[in-house]
Amino acid sequence: MDFTKNHKINLTKEMETLLITLQAKAKDSFSKHSILQDNKAADILQMIDYDFEKVSHFGNEMMVIRAKQLDTWLQEFINKHPDAIVLNLGCGLDTRIVRINLPSTIQWFDVDFPEVIELRKSFFSNQKGYEMIPSSVTDPNWLEKIPNNRPTMIIAEGILEYLSQDEVKVLLNRLTNYFPQGQIAFDVMSSFAVHSGKDSLKETTGAVHKWTVDHINDVDTLDSNWNRIANLSIFQSKYVHKLPLKTRFLYYTMAMIPNFRNMIRLLLYKF
């Protein structure tokens, strides 16, 4: 593969944040005890012309663990429903479709802003069973392009916090009303977490986190069609044990302090 840095990045605000998660996954692939083993992310990183140093301080390990847990829930769903529809919202340059063991009967859709999908097409191509949809997730029209005749798994990784609570509610209601059955997995950030990192995020990319969650019950009431089946702190994930010793100790310590433990949580709902 040609690793010439020939892909110049001109993304801003929340679109630029996809480079934070890309770098986190690429860095993990170089680790002796890699959690994701995401060699595709590493390949993409080497072909992008961007100063990754400016986004190197955003908690790479947290993003890797988040991705791994979402991968795990998705793989479990696919194992039970090998003919499922997978909807990956705010996909950025995520390589989940490469990381997951997919039967040929899966229909997978990656959705993101048109500018992001244009960049993504430099590294991925639409093909049988896989389609990229260029649209903001808040646009009401894109969903009708997705079939709704199978069990559906929806992943929203690192995206909902950039929407207002009203936008989140409208999106979730639209999804659970459109698909007859399935699961949806996503992450939420506490107001403590958002406040702690908002200046750095805005200064670096211009992006702003809008939706904060301090009480999971508030999320439960956003949609009458679903039931929560998992609520997991990043710092209590079973994948923490694969981190380097110093980071592992830090995470175990943070898991004992409520403000830190509840900073980022992963939620799984059935509808």
Side-chain angles (χ1 to χ4, degrees), residues 249-262:
F249 177 75
L250 175 63
Y251 274 42
Y252 288 151
T253 303
M254 294 175 81
M256 293 187 285
I257 305 170
N259 264 357
F260 289 106
R261 180 174 63 243
N262 296 325

Side-chain angles (χ1 to χ4, degrees), residues 194-245:
V194 168
H195 182 75
S196 299
K198 69 177 181 179
D199 291 341
S200 179
L201 182 67
K202 189 170 184 179
E203 181 181 337
T204 304
T205 66
V208 176
H209 289 140
K210 299 175 184 177
W211 185 42
T212 62
V213 174
D214 292 322
H215 305 286
I216 297 302
N217 289 342
D218 293 341
V219 183
D220 295 345
T221 61
L222 288 178
D223 197 309
S224 59
N225 293 324
W226 69 9
N227 293 296
R228 172 163 42 92
I229 53 180
N231 167 22
L232 177 67
S233 166
I234 284 280
F235 304 108
Q236 293 177 314
S237 166
K238 66 182 181 181
Y239 299 110
V240 169
H241 81 277
K242 296 194 73 173
L243 295 172
L245 183 59

Side-chain angles (χ1 to χ4, degrees), residues 160-176:
L160 298 184
E161 47 264 56
Y162 295 106
L163 307 180
S164 68
Q165 180 168 306
D166 286 344
E167 288 174 323
V168 171
K169 181 178 174 63
V170 168
L171 174 61
L172 294 174
N173 291 173
R174 186 181 297 140
L175 292 168
T176 61

